[in-house]
């Protein structure tokens, strides 16, 4: 272990630290807007459907841009891609802070999302390139802080800002941090150019935009109910994605794919990918459900709701580095299996005990238990997915992982919110009073999350142990040198 630590140079450590801090800021921004939507609806005097586009357009842009980051990371240097990501994010954030109306703010969110979409694959690819396999668990623990803690803290931060300041300060406070990251990080990142001969597959881009974007949009719309328009959008999106996959398989033969899918040939990558999607469905579903329950059933204010959920996010952040160290010693199975059991217990607990009289302390405790389970899942899943990949697939594997995370988040939100809405409506139609029907309607949503945790548990048993990981890393070492 000590030799592995020595191989992580000070320059590499500084590079990864800058990227982690930058990624935390841009991912934090992804959920910071949710709490502000009612305030902005009143500020701009628009409908709820119109203001919801501030969240929807961000997700759509992320879904479209992320699949293209594999190409960017292959073609350009780490420094160039970092400047592009943080530059776009800073530009979008500044424009958002100065927005005179909804139209400009929507454009600003698109620009922000472009930068955010590039940053996470850049971070994961850089870790894979710079960090030896024996140390990746620790570093991926810090990545899981970005993925899981930043979305949980976002609503709390925005709630605090909105309590005392104008909504514009949600963006103003981020601008100096983004500029500092740009100034500090740029000279410290590698300027080594990638494969300049790699061409951009325009047909792949034209299929990716309606494919990934349409799938996220269609899934998001399903949370409000099934409609002919949504079914049509999803049908077109799936057809485009089938064409996209077939085209990538053909382009892979000449190493010209926009998103190289050969990462899926690695068993642990594919299993961990499915596991991560199950975990993201559970995480995003609960992130949506609990605030809805607190507001609609318990009548709790937005700021209080954010504060209730904050301890769980902080717990995940505190545990992530420790889980990463444990992963480097024992591998994925001894961490993921107990984590899935804890997550299953928490979600079943929500489905059983949740009602209009549930005390706040119990809700906080259950959220902490759920966060504990997720903390033991995310870091091992990330590391196990990316560890087996050879050097030439690092960027594409990271892009594929990030893409499917976005799709899983949209899928989880649509599925769980749709189940809750359908259950509530059916109980009201059967004559149940509104409050009781609303409370009972939430329980099937948590059961969906529990079903996903069963999937995590099964995959946890299938993942390789520590020895197989080390053998895989040794086998891929020659490829990493090329």
């Amino acid at each position: 272990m000590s030799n592995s630590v020595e191989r992580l140079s000070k320059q590499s450590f500084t590079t990864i630290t800058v990227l982690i801090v930058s990624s935390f800021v841009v991912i934090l921004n992804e959920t910071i807007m949710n709490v502000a939507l009612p305030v902005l609806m009143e500020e701009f005097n628009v409908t709820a459907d119109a203001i919801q586009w501030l969240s929807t357009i961000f997700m759509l842009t992320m879904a479209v841009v992320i699949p293209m980051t594999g190409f960017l990371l292959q073609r350009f240097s780490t420094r160039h891609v970092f400047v592009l990501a943080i530059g776009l994010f800073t530009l979008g954030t500044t424009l958002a802070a100065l927005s005179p109306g909804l139209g400009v703010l929507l454009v600003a969110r698109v620009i922000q999302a472009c930068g955010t979409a590039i940053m996470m694959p850049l971070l994961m690819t850089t870790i894979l390139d710079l960090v030896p396999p024996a140390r990746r668990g620790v570093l991926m623990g810090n990545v899981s802080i970005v993925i899981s803690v930043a979305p949980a803290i976002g609503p709390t931060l925005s709630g605090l800002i909105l309590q005392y300041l104008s909504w514009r300060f949600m963006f103003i406070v981020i601008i100096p941090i983004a500029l500092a990251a740009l100034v500090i990080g740029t000279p410290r990142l590698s300027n080594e150019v990638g494969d300049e001969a790699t061409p951009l597959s325009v047909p792949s881009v034209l299929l990716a935009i309606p494919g990934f974007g349409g799938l996220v949009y269609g899934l998001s719309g399903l949370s409000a109910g099934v409609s002919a328009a949504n079914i049509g959008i999803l049908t077109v999106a799936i057809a485009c994605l089938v064409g996209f996959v077939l085209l990538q398989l053909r382009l892979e033969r000449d190493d010209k794919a926009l998103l190289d899918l050969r990462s899926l040939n690695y068993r642990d990558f594919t299993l961990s990918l499915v596991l991560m999607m199950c975990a993201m469905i559970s995480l995003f579903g609960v992130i949506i459900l609990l605030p809805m329950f607190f507001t609609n059933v318990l009548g709790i204010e937005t700021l209080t709701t954010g504060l209730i959920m904050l301890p769980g996010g902080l717990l995940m952040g505190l545990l992530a580095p420790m889980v990463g160290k444990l992963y480097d010693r024992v591998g994925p199975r001894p961490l993921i299996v107990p984590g899935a059991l804890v997550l299953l217990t928490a979600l079943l607990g929500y489905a059983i005990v949740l009602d209009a009289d549930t005390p706040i302390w119990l809700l906080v405790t259950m959220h902490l238990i759920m966060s504990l389970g997720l903390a033991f899942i995310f870091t091992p899943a990330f590391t196990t997915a990316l560890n087996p990949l050879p050097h030439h697939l690092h960027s594409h594997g990271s892009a594929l992982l990030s893409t499917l995370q976005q799709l899983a988040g949209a899928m989880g939100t649509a599925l769980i919110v749709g189940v809750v809405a359908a259950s509530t409506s059916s109980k009201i139609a059967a004559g149940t009073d509104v409050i009781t029907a609303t409370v009972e309607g939430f329980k099937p949503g948590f059961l969906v999350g529990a079903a996903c945790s069963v999937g995590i548990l099964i995959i946890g048993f299938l993942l390789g142990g520590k020895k197989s990981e080390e053998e895989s890393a040794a086998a891929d070492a020659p490829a990493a040198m090329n």
Side-chain angles (χ1 to χ4, degrees):
M1 182 69 72
S2 59
N3 292 336
S4 298
V5 175
E6 290 172 4
R7 286 200 297 270
L8 188 61
S9 67
K10 183 178 179 180
Q11 175 74 14
S12 297
F13 182 80
T14 303
T15 297
I16 292 169
T17 301
V18 169
L19 291 177
I20 287 175
V21 173
S22 303
S23 299
F24 187 88
V25 172
V26 299
I27 296 295
L28 176 70
N29 174 78
E30 187 172 354
T31 57
I32 202 172
M33 182 65 72
N34 294 346
V35 174
L37 294 182
V39 175
L40 292 171
M41 185 170 66
E42 184 177 343
E43 172 82 11
F44 297 137
N45 193 26
V46 295
T47 64
D49 288 341
I51 208 69
Q52 189 62 40
W53 270 99
L54 288 172
S55 294
T56 302
I57 204 164
F58 195 95
M59 286 195 306
L60 288 178
T61 306
M62 291 273 287
V64 168
V65 175
I66 288 175
M68 303 178 194
T69 57
F71 165 80
L72 290 174
L73 293 170
Q74 288 277 349
R75 182 75 179 267
F76 302 103
S77 71
T78 303
R79 182 184 297 177
H80 289 151
V81 177
F82 175 77
V83 170
L84 177 63
I86 290 293
L88 286 171
F89 179 77
T90 305
L91 174 62
T93 304
T94 304
L95 184 60
L98 300 174
S99 295
L102 180 60
V104 176
L105 189 54
L106 285 171
V107 173
R109 289 290 281 172
V110 170
I111 299 172
Q112 277 187 317
C114 288
T116 304
I118 297 169
M119 183 55 68
M120 278 310 300
L122 172 62
L123 170 60
M124 289 189 283
T125 300
T126 302
I127 288 177
L128 291 175
D129 287 346
L130 297 181
V131 181
R135 281 280 292 162
R136 284 180 187 161
V138 176
L139 273 300
M140 285 297 180
N142 293 321
V143 173
S144 69
I145 294 176
V146 174
I147 294 295
S148 57
V149 179
I153 291 177
T156 306
L157 178 61
S158 58
L160 286 169
I161 291 173
L162 293 171
Q163 186 82 4
Y164 303 106
L165 301 168
S166 162
W167 61 269
R168 297 183 189 276
F169 279 87
M170 291 191 304
F171 304 106
I172 292 172
V173 297
I174 291 175
I175 294 172
I177 303 173
L179 287 173
L182 185 63
V183 172
I184 295 171
T186 300
R188 289 170 170 79
L189 297 177
S190 169
N191 199 31
E192 184 178 344
V193 180
D195 184 5
E196 295 182 348
T198 303
L200 175 65
S201 171
V202 176
S204 296
V205 174
L206 295 178
L207 286 170
I209 292 174
F212 291 104
L215 188 60
V216 169
Y217 181 75
L219 289 171
S220 301
L222 287 180
S223 61
V226 178
S227 67
N230 273 335
I231 297 300
I233 291 170
L234 286 172
T235 301
V236 171
I238 291 170
C240 289
L241 286 177
V242 170
F244 177 83
V245 169
L246 293 175
L247 180 57
Q248 303 318 296
L249 294 176
R250 184 166 63 82
L251 293 173
E252 283 171 3
R253 301 168 191 166
D254 301 316
D255 292 324
K256 295 179 179 178
L258 181 70
L259 183 62
D260 198 317
L261 302 177
R262 283 177 288 190
S263 304
L264 296 172
N265 294 333
Y266 293 81
R267 177 180 177 275
D268 278 358
F269 177 85
T270 303
L271 286 174
S272 298
L273 206 59
V274 177
L275 187 152
M276 278 298 303
M277 291 183 71
C278 291
M280 292 301 289
I281 289 173
S282 295
L283 174 64
F284 272 75
V286 172
I287 283 177
I288 294 292
L289 279 193
L290 285 181
M292 286 173 58
F293 181 84
F294 295 151
T295 303
N296 299 343
V297 177
L298 302 183
I300 296 174
E301 294 180 353
T302 300
L303 177 57
T304 306
T305 295
L307 292 173
I308 289 172
M309 299 186 70
L310 183 59
L314 294 177
L315 177 65
M316 292 176 71
L318 291 171
L319 288 176
M322 183 195 75
V323 173
K325 290 180 181 179
L326 287 173
Y327 176 90
D328 288 334
R329 294 179 183 175
V330 302
R333 192 182 303 143
L335 300 174
I336 291 175
V337 170
L341 288 172
V342 171
L343 179 62
L344 176 61
T345 301
L347 292 172
L348 287 176
Y350 276 124
I352 293 170
V353 308
L354 214 61
D355 60 44
D357 299 318
T358 304
I360 297 296
W361 67 265
L362 181 57
L363 294 173
V364 173
T365 301
M366 293 173 67
H367 188 242
L368 285 170
I369 294 171
M370 186 199 75
S371 300
L372 174 66
L374 287 170
F376 278 82
I377 292 170
F378 277 115
T379 298
F382 270 117
T383 315
T384 305
L386 298 172
N387 254 353
L389 300 183
H391 179 75
H392 69 280
L393 289 178
H394 283 175
S395 59
H396 291 284
S398 300
L400 185 57
L401 181 62
S402 298
T403 298
L404 292 182
Q405 277 179 246
Q406 286 295 314
L407 293 179
M411 190 184 305
T413 302
L415 177 62
I416 292 179
V417 172
V419 166
V420 170
S423 176
T424 302
S425 299
S426 66
K427 291 182 184 301
I428 292 175
T432 308
D433 65 274
V434 175
I435 294 296
T436 303
T438 302
V439 172
E440 292 297 317
F442 277 95
K443 295 184 177 181
F446 288 108
L447 289 176
V448 172
C452 290
S453 62
V454 172
I456 295 171
L457 180 63
I458 293 171
I459 296 173
F461 279 110
L462 296 175
L463 287 174
K466 182 65 179 171
K467 184 176 179 181
S468 67
E469 285 176 14
E470 290 172 346
E471 290 171 348
S472 176
D476 288 330
M481 296 177 186
N482 295 331

